[in-house]
Amino acid sequence: MKAEPICDMLVLEPCPKGELAVDPFVPPLNFAMVDHGIYRSGFPSPDNFRFLKTLKLRSILCVILFQVPCFVCRCLCQDPYPDINIEFLQENRITLVKIGIDGSKEATIPENRIREALKVVLDVLNHPLLIHCKRGKHRTGCVVGCLRKLQRWCIASAIDEYNCYAAAKARVSDQKFIAEFDETSMDQFQLHAKKTSFSTPDEALHHPEINREQ
Amino acid sequence: MKAEPICDMLVLEPCPKGELAVDPFVPPLNFAMVDHGIYRSGFPSPDNFRFLKTLKLRSILCVILFQVPCFVCRCLCQDPYPDINIEFLQENRITLVKIGIDGSKEATIPENRIREALKVVLDVLNHPLLIHCKRGKHRTGCVVGCLRKLQRWCIASAIDEYNCYAAAKARVSDQKFIAEFDETSMDQFQLHAKKTSFSTPDEALHHPEINREQ
């Protein structure tokens, strides 16, 4: 019996007997729909893969700076995305875009990387797209907060939404970053967002901050 | 110069000079996108009307029990939706569906009304639709929480989402209601949601709990 969609995100999976499947979907931590074709969440685990499949994602934008202490060179080295997640992406033909942003409290939010993230988010050729960091609070919250400013939301509403997902962990530095983000500098890009794409590997090479994997 | 949509919810309004309009959009309190064609929020005020217009709503589902003390008969009487909101609905050809749910802490959540609300929400002929109560926390939270169960979200995720919007005002009684809501009893309706509609005035008359206005 074929799964019956109610709306794009809502899928029923009837059992062979005609009764509904018992296993519930497990969305990732802090999952939400940002806009048509744009979702946000914390780090997806294998428990979430069945749910994520229903979103028919074309891209995942991971805004985490993967750093692990390297005992050979004693510097901070890039750590790959977990193998099991890479397998899921490959099986479902989802492009992974990694933009390294440090999520620690003390780190300065890198405006240029937030802008690169926004370019990926605004490009409809990447949709449906999931933005995620570790907990879906700070880095994802900053990207979405700045997106809201591009969408001409007032600052108070953009920050209210940031607070909703960051909850008790809301950071004044993130709120200040969103409030002060100059969205007008992206207008030219935004007006042409539908025509622009970083989807081809060649173009990705010209954007060293963007690390694409599939 | 014509407004330029980036995605359905995202609209830019360039000024005549080619620069972008300065006035920001003000979404209603606790506004969010629930799913394709389904939004949630607190009570919309005139400040929010310009933003709401961008959603191209077909319906608004108000889950408030309007009661004001009547000094004539000393009972609780129905209070109308504010005139200014009614005018906005009429101007934009938005159908108002009112399902009276008492939002006070002590009130029992009326399961039959939540079910009626869900029928309205699931009916794609009503989309795009905005669900709202007063603050977008408790009544709206219960409707969306039960919708998530119909969407086969696990209970923990449905309640996490409820908590996200209710924040410090989260109620154990609402969480318990969502957890115990028997979604399987709506399966038959849900499977036929696309074919069902309460949109015609005649049909609305056969559903006395649903009060439609346009």
Side-chain angles (χ1 to χ4, degrees):
Chain A
M1 204 166 167
K2 210 173 151 259
E4 178 86 8
I6 295 297
C7 35
D8 291 8
M9 209 165 104
L10 198 159
V11 179
L12 293 179
E13 290 185 338
C15 302
K17 283 178 195 170
E19 287 167 16
L20 291 160
V22 175
D23 277 356
F25 289 114
V26 184
L29 183 76
N30 247 343
F31 173 83
M33 192 165 186
V34 176
D35 207 319
H36 293 92
I38 307 172
Y39 305 94
R40 64 181 287 169
S41 76
F43 207 102
S45 74
D47 286 347
N48 311 132
F49 291 166
R50 195 164 63 87
F51 172 78
L52 289 181
K53 267 187 163 186
T54 69
L55 305 181
K56 300 182 178 67
L57 295 174
R58 195 184 286 174
S59 326
I60 286 186
L61 169 60
C62 169
V63 286
I64 295 175
L65 183 63
F66 289 94
Q67 287 182 327
V68 284
C70 172
F71 296 106
V72 180
C73 63
R74 294 184 181 222
C75 67
L76 291 170
C77 297
Q78 283 269 325
D79 188 33
Y81 211 63
D83 286 346
I84 195 159
N85 287 50
I86 292 286
E87 270 169 40
F88 170 76
L89 298 180
Q90 284 171 340
E91 275 169 25
N92 294 279
R93 303 175 62 84
I94 298 167
T95 301
L96 173 65
V97 185
K98 292 200 287 187
I99 298 186
I101 299 179
D102 187 352
S104 60
K105 225 176 190 171
E106 303 73 25
T108 308
I109 303 151
E111 197 173 325
N112 60 335
R113 301 217 166 176
I114 296 283
R115 283 181 199 281
E116 288 305 323
L118 287 170
K119 287 180 190 172
V120 175
V121 173
L122 285 171
D123 187 349
V124 291
L125 293 179
N126 294 326
H127 295 185
L129 168 137
L130 172 71
I131 312 163
H132 82 82
C133 52
K134 199 171 171 191
R135 288 179 296 177
K137 289 179 189 284
H138 305 114
R139 290 165 281 195
T140 301
C142 285
V143 173
V144 174
C146 294
L147 174 69
R148 296 312 189 189
K149 288 191 74 181
L150 290 173
Q151 290 182 303
R152 298 278 172 265
W153 282 32
C154 65
I155 292 172
S157 298
I159 290 176
D160 275 356
E161 186 182 40
Y162 166 89
N163 290 340
C164 181
Y165 295 96
K169 299 285 182 186
R171 293 176 184 166
V172 176
S173 55
D174 289 348
Q175 294 163 341
K176 199 167 169 279
F177 179 83
I178 294 167
E180 291 175 359
F181 179 76
D182 177 18
E183 71 276 15
T184 59
S185 63
M186 286 195 77
D187 285 343
Q188 200 50 42
F189 174 80
Q190 197 179 2
L191 284 165
H192 296 95
K194 278 195 167 172
K195 297 173 198 159
T196 313
S197 167
F198 297 96
S199 302
T200 57
D202 278 355
E203 280 187 294
L205 290 174
H206 296 297
H207 295 83
E209 283 157 3
I210 301 178
N211 188 353
R212 282 178 184 273
E213 289 175 29
Q214 190 169 12
Chain B
M1 204 165 167
K2 212 175 149 255
E4 178 85 9
I6 295 296
C7 39
D8 291 8
M9 210 165 104
L10 197 159
V11 179
L12 293 179
E13 290 184 339
C15 301
K17 284 179 194 168
E19 287 168 16
L20 291 160
V22 175
D23 276 358
F25 290 114
V26 184
L29 183 75
N30 248 343
F31 173 82
M33 192 165 187
V34 176
D35 207 318
H36 293 92
I38 308 172
Y39 305 95
R40 63 181 288 168
S41 76
F43 207 102
S45 76
D47 287 346
N48 312 131
F49 292 167
R50 195 165 62 87
F51 172 77
L52 290 181
K53 267 188 163 184
T54 69
L55 305 181
K56 299 181 178 70
L57 295 174
R58 196 183 285 174
S59 326
I60 286 186
L61 169 60
C62 169
V63 286
I64 295 175
L65 184 63
F66 289 94
Q67 287 181 329
V68 286
C70 172
F71 296 105
V72 180
C73 64
R74 294 184 181 225
C75 68
L76 292 171
C77 296
Q78 283 268 323
D79 187 31
Y81 211 64
D83 286 346
I84 195 158
N85 287 51
I86 292 286
E87 272 170 41
F88 169 76
L89 299 179
Q90 285 171 340
E91 276 169 23
N92 294 281
R93 304 174 63 84
I94 298 168
T95 300
L96 174 64
V97 185
K98 292 200 288 187
I99 298 185
I101 299 178
D102 187 351
S104 60
K105 225 176 189 171
E106 303 73 26
T108 308
I109 303 151
E111 195 172 326
N112 60 336
R113 299 215 169 177
I114 296 283
R115 283 180 199 284
E116 288 306 322
L118 287 170
K119 286 178 191 173
V120 175
V121 173
L122 285 172
D123 187 348
V124 291
L125 293 179
N126 294 326
H127 295 185
L129 169 138
L130 172 72
I131 312 164
H132 81 82
C133 53
K134 199 170 170 192
R135 289 180 294 177
K137 289 177 187 286
H138 304 115
R139 291 165 280 195
T140 301
C142 284
V143 174
V144 175
C146 293
L147 173 69
R148 296 311 190 190
K149 289 190 72 180
L150 289 173
Q151 290 183 302
R152 299 279 173 263
W153 283 31
C154 64
I155 292 172
S157 298
I159 291 176
D160 274 355
E161 186 182 41
Y162 167 89
N163 291 340
C164 182
Y165 296 96
K169 299 285 182 185
R171 293 177 184 165
V172 175
S173 56
D174 289 348
Q175 294 163 342
K176 198 166 169 282
F177 179 83
I178 294 167
E180 290 175 359
F181 179 76
D182 177 18
E183 70 276 14
T184 58
S185 63
M186 287 194 77
D187 286 343
Q188 199 52 39
F189 173 80
Q190 197 179 2
L191 284 165
H192 296 93
K194 279 195 167 172
K195 297 171 199 162
T196 313
S197 167
F198 297 97
S199 303
T200 58
D202 279 356
E203 280 188 292
L205 291 174
H206 296 295
H207 294 85
E209 285 158 2
I210 301 178
N211 187 353
R212 281 179 183 274
E213 289 174 29
Q214 189 168 13

